């Protein structure tokens, strides 16, 4: 963009050069005609003048020679005549008699060596008239040779001799070439001046163009701050004005685009779904915050990466397959098998098509469906659990009834036992269905808590008293130890439900404890909670199951729990009840040593005189 235009390639140079070229060609043509005309004129003038002078001289020579024919005085007169007629432009002048003997010359210095001798010039030999320009061998100058026969002025026109004149025509040529030199010097000066003028004119044209070019470069770099200066009202200034308007328009369009992009960016940033856009080769060009956090990658790592690699799909899919399928995919992005690391993403794919139908990229929308998937899976699990749990007691009821039907009813020993078992199983099923109904009510939020202020110490005492009473009825022996805070703890609870929770935990403690085990019940308060924990000396719960005992139908040892008449729903219900009270429930256990189930409830200590 910034590359400089070389001077010889510039418009500046081209305009100036053409200007000068035209000028030089014109000067050359004019000069050639002028010089040629001048030369013709000058040389013609010179030769005409010379011819005339020579002809006049030869006439007077003819007269003199015919009057004083053959006498020495006549030759002297003739010599005198030549000397008189000699001029600066005449180099040599001879008069030859009819025998070819030189009789007179204008060159006084060489007179003696020439006069009386045979002439040296063959031009004179035939006494005819000759007029021509020749190059003089001695002086190496151009000379005009003029040979004129000298005739007697009388009627017979007899040839008396010849006049030979060699004149210096070279000076005329020198004059012409001097004029030519002046002419060319003048045209050279004119050339230089016009070159400067041309450069100035060209600059005045190219300067605004160069300014516009610079401005265009700036615009290309996104700088709209400058404007091209507008001088005058010519086409270039109109172009500059249009250019400035164009620059404004581009700036406006750029601003609108920028605003649009910002809006899109902020929409993308604040979207709760992850959005990824790729180019047509599937390389990521845009990715929003949500997508980055869902995929656990950094922006700089994601940009330019293939979408297939980013989503771990390169083994199953090619880009073409993905484009053709255009389906939604479930991506398992779980970091480990742990529940908290689980992550399921739903990816919806859409192609970006131009109006021409050309596919220019791909948009992927990522949605975190971990919870949905978990719920769906739980629901499936729950239905399968319920069916399974109900089928087992039903199967056993059915087999007992079959046995009875087949005649066992008549057997007085087994019949009552069989009937007892079927009744027990039916009771368990009823219990289970009641539990399920309870849970379902709590799930749907239909269960209202019947809150009242209760002295919690008394409530726990009351429940434990009942268990103490039951010891005598049961075949399993146990001891309940109470370790309560001395302070009366008043809490706002749904008494029946909380009693159900304590019952549950106590029942489990007894159920899973060995005969004669100790059950310790602690009641204490913290700053804003009360905590009830029930510790048994039972078989305990393996570490891996600790979290799961609060799940529906979860039992550590299924067969054994069932034998104990458990439904696997007790702790699940307890958890829901405590949750509804905004408390929490947890378990600590050492396998083989025993377990501690605890729950806490919110509690506000009140001043003693609050009631008064
Ligand atoms: P269940 O009706 O089977 O007792 P719960 O929901 O009350 O159902 O308990 C779930 C499971 O937790 C039980 O099956 C048992 O395996 C385990 N569990 C509960 N309490 C104790 C305990 N005190 N000691 C040992 N395991 C227990």
């Amino acid at each position: 963009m910034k590359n400089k235009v070389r001077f010889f390639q510039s418009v500046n140079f081209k305009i100036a050069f053409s200007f000068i070229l035209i000028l030089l060609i014109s000067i050359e043509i004019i000069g050639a005609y002028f010089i040629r005309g001048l030369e013709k004129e000058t040389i013609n003038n010179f030769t005409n003048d010379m011819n005339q002078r020579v002809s006049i001289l030869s006439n007077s020579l003819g007269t003199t020679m015919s009057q004083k024919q053959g006498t020495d005085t006549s030759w002297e007169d003739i010599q005198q005549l030549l000397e008189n007629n000699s001029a600066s432009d005449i180099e040599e002048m001879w008069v030859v008699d009819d025998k070819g003997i030189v009789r007179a010359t204008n060159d006084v210095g060489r007179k003696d060596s020439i006069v009386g001798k045979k002439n040296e010039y063959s031009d004179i030999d035939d006494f005819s008239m000759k007029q021509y320009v020749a190059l003089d061998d001695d002086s190496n100058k151009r000379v005009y040779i003029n040979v004129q026969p000298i005739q007697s002025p009388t009627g017979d026109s007899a040839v008396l001799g010849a006049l030979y004149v060699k004149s210096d025509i070279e000076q005329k040529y020198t004059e012409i070439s001097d004029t030519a030199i002046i002419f060319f010097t003048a045209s050279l000066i004119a050339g230089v001046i016009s070159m400067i003028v041309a450069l100035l004119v060209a600059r005045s044209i190219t300067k605004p163009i160069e300014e516009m070019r610079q401005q265009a470069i700036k615009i290309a770099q996104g700088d709209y701050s400058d404007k091209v200066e507008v001088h005058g009202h010519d086409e270039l200034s109109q172009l500059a004005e249009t250019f400035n308007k164009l620059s404004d328009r581009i700036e406006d369009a750029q601003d609108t685009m920028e605003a649009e992009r910002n809006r899109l960016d902020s929409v993308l940033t604040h979207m709760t779904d992850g959005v990824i856009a790729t180019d047509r080769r599937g390389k990521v060009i845009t990715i929003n915050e949500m997508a980055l956090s869902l995929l656990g990658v950094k922006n700089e790592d994601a940009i330019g990466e293939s979408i297939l690699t980013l989503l771990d799909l390169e083994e199953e899919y090619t880009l073409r397959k993905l484009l053709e399928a255009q389906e939604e995919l479930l991506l398992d992005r779980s970091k480990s098998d742990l529940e908290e690391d689980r992550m399921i993403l739903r990816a919806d794919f859409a192609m970006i098509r131009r109006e021409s139908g050309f596919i220019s990229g791909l948009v992927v929308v990522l949605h975190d469906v971990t919870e949905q998937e978990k719920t769906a899976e739980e629901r499936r699990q729950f239905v399968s659990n319920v069916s399974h749990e109900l089928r087992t007691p039903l199967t056993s009821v059915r087999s007992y009834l079959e046995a009875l039907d087949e005649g066992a009813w008549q057997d007085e020993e087994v019949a009552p036992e069989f009937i007892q078992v079927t009744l027990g199983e039916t009771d368990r099923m009823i219990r289970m269905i009641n539990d399920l109904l309870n849970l379902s009510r709590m799930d749907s939020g239909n269960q209202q808590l019947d809150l009242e202020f209760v002295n919690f110490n008394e409530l726990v005492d009351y429940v434990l008293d009942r268990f103490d009473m039951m010891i005598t009825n049961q075949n399993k022996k146990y001891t309940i130890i109470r370790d309560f805070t001395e302070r009366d703890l008043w809490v706002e609870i749904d008494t029946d439900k909380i009693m159900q929770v304590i019952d549950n935990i106590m029942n489990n403690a007894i159920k899973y404890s060995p005969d004669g085990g100790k059950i310790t019940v602690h009641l204490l308060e913290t700053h804003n909670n009360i905590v009830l924990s029930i510790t048994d000396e039972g078989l305990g719960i393996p570490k891996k199951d600790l979290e799961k005992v609060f799940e529906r139908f979860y039992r550590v040892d299924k067969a054994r729990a069932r034998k104990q008449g458990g439904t696997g729903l007790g702790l699940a219900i307890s958890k829901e009840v405590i949750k509804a009270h905004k408390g929490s429930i947890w378990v600590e256990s050492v396998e083989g040593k025993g377990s501690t189930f605890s729950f806490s409830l919110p509690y506000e200590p009140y001043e003693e005189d609050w009631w008064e």
Side-chain angles (χ1 to χ4, degrees), residues 504-524:
N504 253 327
I505 299 177
M506 277 306 290
N507 271 323
N508 280 346
I510 296 165
K511 251 194 294 189
Y512 301 107
S513 280
D515 196 16
K518 246 194 317 198
I519 295 164
T520 316
V521 181
H522 292 276
L523 177 61
L524 53 104

PDB file of all heavy atoms in Angstrom, residues 504-524:
ATOM      1  N   ASN A 504     -37.627 -42.951  61.925  1.00  0.00           N
ATOM      2  CA  ASN A 504     -36.882 -43.610  60.851  1.00  0.00           C
ATOM      3  C   ASN A 504     -35.472 -43.942  61.267  1.00  0.00           C
ATOM      4  O   ASN A 504     -35.008 -45.057  61.108  1.00  0.00           O
ATOM      5  CB  ASN A 504     -36.800 -42.667  59.653  1.00  0.00           C
ATOM      6  CG  ASN A 504     -37.698 -43.130  58.540  1.00  0.00           C
ATOM      7  OD1 ASN A 504     -37.895 -44.325  58.367  1.00  0.00           O
ATOM      8  ND2 ASN A 504     -38.246 -42.178  57.791  1.00  0.00           N
ATOM      9  N   ILE A 505     -34.787 -42.909  61.788  1.00  0.00           N
ATOM     10  CA  ILE A 505     -33.371 -43.083  62.127  1.00  0.00           C
ATOM     11  C   ILE A 505     -33.251 -44.077  63.288  1.00  0.00           C
ATOM     12  O   ILE A 505     -32.382 -44.968  63.276  1.00  0.00           O
ATOM     13  CB  ILE A 505     -32.729 -41.720  62.477  1.00  0.00           C
ATOM     14  CG1 ILE A 505     -32.824 -40.785  61.267  1.00  0.00           C
ATOM     15  CG2 ILE A 505     -31.267 -41.907  62.894  1.00  0.00           C
ATOM     16  CD1 ILE A 505     -32.286 -39.392  61.513  1.00  0.00           C
ATOM     17  N   MET A 506     -34.157 -43.940  64.267  1.00  0.00           N
ATOM     18  CA  MET A 506     -34.124 -44.850  65.421  1.00  0.00           C
ATOM     19  C   MET A 506     -34.385 -46.289  64.955  1.00  0.00           C
ATOM     20  O   MET A 506     -33.683 -47.222  65.370  1.00  0.00           O
ATOM     21  CB  MET A 506     -35.178 -44.427  66.451  1.00  0.00           C
ATOM     22  CG  MET A 506     -34.748 -43.313  67.391  1.00  0.00           C
ATOM     23  SD  MET A 506     -33.209 -43.659  68.266  1.00  0.00           S
ATOM     24  CE  MET A 506     -33.748 -44.963  69.359  1.00  0.00           C
ATOM     25  N   ASN A 507     -35.399 -46.442  64.111  1.00  0.00           N
ATOM     26  CA  ASN A 507     -35.730 -47.782  63.607  1.00  0.00           C
ATOM     27  C   ASN A 507     -34.540 -48.412  62.902  1.00  0.00           C
ATOM     28  O   ASN A 507     -34.220 -49.574  63.113  1.00  0.00           O
ATOM     29  CB  ASN A 507     -36.897 -47.713  62.620  1.00  0.00           C
ATOM     30  CG  ASN A 507     -38.224 -47.847  63.353  1.00  0.00           C
ATOM     31  OD1 ASN A 507     -38.320 -48.614  64.332  1.00  0.00           O
ATOM     32  ND2 ASN A 507     -39.226 -47.107  62.918  1.00  0.00           N
ATOM     33  N   ASN A 508     -33.868 -47.594  62.044  1.00  0.00           N
ATOM     34  CA  ASN A 508     -32.688 -48.099  61.341  1.00  0.00           C
ATOM     35  C   ASN A 508     -31.615 -48.502  62.330  1.00  0.00           C
ATOM     36  O   ASN A 508     -30.993 -49.555  62.197  1.00  0.00           O
ATOM     37  CB  ASN A 508     -32.131 -47.026  60.408  1.00  0.00           C
ATOM     38  CG  ASN A 508     -32.905 -46.951  59.102  1.00  0.00           C
ATOM     39  OD1 ASN A 508     -33.683 -47.863  58.808  1.00  0.00           O
ATOM     40  ND2 ASN A 508     -32.709 -45.884  58.363  1.00  0.00           N
ATOM     41  N   ALA A 509     -31.392 -47.618  63.328  1.00  0.00           N
ATOM     42  CA  ALA A 509     -30.347 -47.890  64.316  1.00  0.00           C
ATOM     43  C   ALA A 509     -30.600 -49.227  64.993  1.00  0.00           C
ATOM     44  O   ALA A 509     -29.669 -50.014  65.187  1.00  0.00           O
ATOM     45  CB  ALA A 509     -30.294 -46.757  65.330  1.00  0.00           C
ATOM     46  N   ILE A 510     -31.868 -49.475  65.326  1.00  0.00           N
ATOM     47  CA  ILE A 510     -32.192 -50.738  65.982  1.00  0.00           C
ATOM     48  C   ILE A 510     -32.032 -51.890  64.981  1.00  0.00           C
ATOM     49  O   ILE A 510     -31.420 -52.905  65.268  1.00  0.00           O
ATOM     50  CB  ILE A 510     -33.624 -50.688  66.553  1.00  0.00           C
ATOM     51  CG1 ILE A 510     -33.687 -49.618  67.647  1.00  0.00           C
ATOM     52  CG2 ILE A 510     -34.036 -52.042  67.112  1.00  0.00           C
ATOM     53  CD1 ILE A 510     -35.101 -49.226  68.036  1.00  0.00           C
ATOM     54  N   LYS A 511     -32.615 -51.651  63.773  1.00  0.00           N
ATOM     55  CA  LYS A 511     -32.601 -52.689  62.748  1.00  0.00           C
ATOM     56  C   LYS A 511     -31.184 -53.179  62.449  1.00  0.00           C
ATOM     57  O   LYS A 511     -30.919 -54.358  62.313  1.00  0.00           O
ATOM     58  CB  LYS A 511     -33.202 -52.128  61.454  1.00  0.00           C
ATOM     59  CG  LYS A 511     -34.572 -52.704  61.132  1.00  0.00           C
ATOM     60  CD  LYS A 511     -34.945 -52.391  59.691  1.00  0.00           C
ATOM     61  CE  LYS A 511     -35.144 -50.903  59.438  1.00  0.00           C
ATOM     62  NZ  LYS A 511     -35.710 -50.632  58.109  1.00  0.00           N
ATOM     63  N   TYR A 512     -30.253 -52.213  62.279  1.00  0.00           N
ATOM     64  CA  TYR A 512     -28.920 -52.586  61.817  1.00  0.00           C
ATOM     65  C   TYR A 512     -27.927 -52.732  62.968  1.00  0.00           C
ATOM     66  O   TYR A 512     -26.719 -52.731  62.753  1.00  0.00           O
ATOM     67  CB  TYR A 512     -28.435 -51.572  60.775  1.00  0.00           C
ATOM     68  CG  TYR A 512     -29.362 -51.496  59.575  1.00  0.00           C
ATOM     69  CD1 TYR A 512     -30.190 -50.400  59.373  1.00  0.00           C
ATOM     70  CD2 TYR A 512     -29.437 -52.574  58.681  1.00  0.00           C
ATOM     71  CE1 TYR A 512     -31.061 -50.353  58.310  1.00  0.00           C
ATOM     72  CE2 TYR A 512     -30.322 -52.515  57.609  1.00  0.00           C
ATOM     73  CZ  TYR A 512     -31.123 -51.411  57.424  1.00  0.00           C
ATOM     74  OH  TYR A 512     -31.992 -51.373  56.378  1.00  0.00           O
ATOM     75  N   SER A 513     -28.440 -52.815  64.204  1.00  0.00           N
ATOM     76  CA  SER A 513     -27.561 -53.001  65.366  1.00  0.00           C
ATOM     77  C   SER A 513     -27.616 -54.451  65.831  1.00  0.00           C
ATOM     78  O   SER A 513     -28.638 -55.121  65.657  1.00  0.00           O
ATOM     79  CB  SER A 513     -28.036 -52.119  66.521  1.00  0.00           C
ATOM     80  OG  SER A 513     -27.613 -50.823  66.332  1.00  0.00           O
ATOM     81  N   PRO A 514     -26.550 -54.910  66.455  1.00  0.00           N
ATOM     82  CA  PRO A 514     -26.587 -56.269  67.004  1.00  0.00           C
ATOM     83  C   PRO A 514     -27.426 -56.297  68.294  1.00  0.00           C
ATOM     84  O   PRO A 514     -27.736 -55.233  68.849  1.00  0.00           O
ATOM     85  CB  PRO A 514     -25.110 -56.550  67.318  1.00  0.00           C
ATOM     86  CG  PRO A 514     -24.510 -55.208  67.529  1.00  0.00           C
ATOM     87  CD  PRO A 514     -25.267 -54.246  66.693  1.00  0.00           C
ATOM     88  N   ASP A 515     -27.769 -57.450  68.709  1.00  0.00           N
ATOM     89  CA  ASP A 515     -28.577 -57.577  69.926  1.00  0.00           C
ATOM     90  C   ASP A 515     -27.796 -56.996  71.110  1.00  0.00           C
ATOM     91  O   ASP A 515     -26.590 -57.239  71.254  1.00  0.00           O
ATOM     92  CB  ASP A 515     -28.850 -59.078  70.155  1.00  0.00           C
ATOM     93  CG  ASP A 515     -29.993 -59.259  71.150  1.00  0.00           C
ATOM     94  OD1 ASP A 515     -30.725 -58.274  71.381  1.00  0.00           O
ATOM     95  OD2 ASP A 515     -30.125 -60.384  71.674  1.00  0.00           O
ATOM     96  N   GLY A 516     -28.472 -56.202  71.912  1.00  0.00           N
ATOM     97  CA  GLY A 516     -27.837 -55.637  73.106  1.00  0.00           C
ATOM     98  C   GLY A 516     -26.989 -54.417  72.829  1.00  0.00           C
ATOM     99  O   GLY A 516     -26.246 -53.960  73.696  1.00  0.00           O
ATOM    100  N   GLY A 517     -27.130 -53.862  71.628  1.00  0.00           N
ATOM    101  CA  GLY A 517     -26.317 -52.699  71.262  1.00  0.00           C
ATOM    102  C   GLY A 517     -26.757 -51.433  71.996  1.00  0.00           C
ATOM    103  O   GLY A 517     -27.862 -51.343  72.516  1.00  0.00           O
ATOM    104  N   LYS A 518     -25.854 -50.460  71.998  1.00  0.00           N
ATOM    105  CA  LYS A 518     -26.142 -49.187  72.668  1.00  0.00           C
ATOM    106  C   LYS A 518     -26.497 -48.161  71.598  1.00  0.00           C
ATOM    107  O   LYS A 518     -25.846 -48.086  70.559  1.00  0.00           O
ATOM    108  CB  LYS A 518     -24.901 -48.716  73.404  1.00  0.00           C
ATOM    109  CG  LYS A 518     -25.080 -48.715  74.910  1.00  0.00           C
ATOM    110  CD  LYS A 518     -23.987 -47.943  75.632  1.00  0.00           C
ATOM    111  CE  LYS A 518     -22.635 -48.202  75.100  1.00  0.00           C
ATOM    112  NZ  LYS A 518     -21.491 -47.871  75.889  1.00  0.00           N
ATOM    113  N   ILE A 519     -27.556 -47.382  71.885  1.00  0.00           N
ATOM    114  CA  ILE A 519     -27.899 -46.315  70.936  1.00  0.00           C
ATOM    115  C   ILE A 519     -27.817 -45.002  71.695  1.00  0.00           C
ATOM    116  O   ILE A 519     -28.525 -44.822  72.693  1.00  0.00           O
ATOM    117  CB  ILE A 519     -29.301 -46.527  70.341  1.00  0.00           C
ATOM    118  CG1 ILE A 519     -29.303 -47.819  69.488  1.00  0.00           C
ATOM    119  CG2 ILE A 519     -29.714 -45.340  69.492  1.00  0.00           C
ATOM    120  CD1 ILE A 519     -30.673 -48.324  69.167  1.00  0.00           C
ATOM    121  N   THR A 520     -26.926 -44.113  71.255  1.00  0.00           N
ATOM    122  CA  THR A 520     -26.732 -42.853  71.974  1.00  0.00           C
ATOM    123  C   THR A 520     -27.379 -41.720  71.185  1.00  0.00           C
ATOM    124  O   THR A 520     -27.143 -41.578  69.982  1.00  0.00           O
ATOM    125  CB  THR A 520     -25.229 -42.550  72.132  1.00  0.00           C
ATOM    126  OG1 THR A 520     -24.593 -43.764  72.513  1.00  0.00           O
ATOM    127  CG2 THR A 520     -24.988 -41.477  73.157  1.00  0.00           C
ATOM    128  N   VAL A 521     -28.215 -40.947  71.904  1.00  0.00           N
ATOM    129  CA  VAL A 521     -28.888 -39.822  71.239  1.00  0.00           C
ATOM    130  C   VAL A 521     -28.352 -38.519  71.830  1.00  0.00           C
ATOM    131  O   VAL A 521     -28.470 -38.279  73.028  1.00  0.00           O
ATOM    132  CB  VAL A 521     -30.414 -39.911  71.427  1.00  0.00           C
ATOM    133  CG1 VAL A 521     -31.108 -38.761  70.709  1.00  0.00           C
ATOM    134  CG2 VAL A 521     -30.936 -41.249  70.922  1.00  0.00           C
ATOM    135  N   HIS A 522     -27.727 -37.706  70.985  1.00  0.00           N
ATOM    136  CA  HIS A 522     -27.185 -36.403  71.424  1.00  0.00           C
ATOM    137  C   HIS A 522     -28.103 -35.313  70.928  1.00  0.00           C
ATOM    138  O   HIS A 522     -28.526 -35.344  69.771  1.00  0.00           O
ATOM    139  CB  HIS A 522     -25.804 -36.153  70.800  1.00  0.00           C
ATOM    140  CG  HIS A 522     -24.738 -37.056  71.305  1.00  0.00           C
ATOM    141  ND1 HIS A 522     -24.033 -36.826  72.468  1.00  0.00           N
ATOM    142  CD2 HIS A 522     -24.237 -38.216  70.799  1.00  0.00           C
ATOM    143  CE1 HIS A 522     -23.165 -37.796  72.642  1.00  0.00           C
ATOM    144  NE2 HIS A 522     -23.274 -38.660  71.640  1.00  0.00           N
ATOM    145  N   LEU A 523     -28.359 -34.352  71.788  1.00  0.00           N
ATOM    146  CA  LEU A 523     -29.091 -33.168  71.334  1.00  0.00           C
ATOM    147  C   LEU A 523     -28.300 -31.951  71.781  1.00  0.00           C
ATOM    148  O   LEU A 523     -28.032 -31.791  72.978  1.00  0.00           O
ATOM    149  CB  LEU A 523     -30.503 -33.155  71.937  1.00  0.00           C
ATOM    150  CG  LEU A 523     -31.330 -31.920  71.584  1.00  0.00           C
ATOM    151  CD1 LEU A 523     -31.543 -31.782  70.089  1.00  0.00           C
ATOM    152  CD2 LEU A 523     -32.682 -31.952  72.287  1.00  0.00           C
ATOM    153  N   LEU A 524     -27.932 -31.119  70.867  1.00  0.00           N
ATOM    154  CA  LEU A 524     -27.160 -29.933  71.250  1.00  0.00           C
ATOM    155  C   LEU A 524     -27.549 -28.772  70.343  1.00  0.00           C
ATOM    156  O   LEU A 524     -28.221 -28.966  69.319  1.00  0.00           O
ATOM    157  CB  LEU A 524     -25.664 -30.229  71.136  1.00  0.00           C
ATOM    158  CG  LEU A 524     -25.176 -30.772  69.806  1.00  0.00           C
ATOM    159  CD1 LEU A 524     -24.476 -29.694  69.032  1.00  0.00           C
ATOM    160  CD2 LEU A 524     -24.281 -31.980  70.021  1.00  0.00           C
TER     161      LEU A 524
END
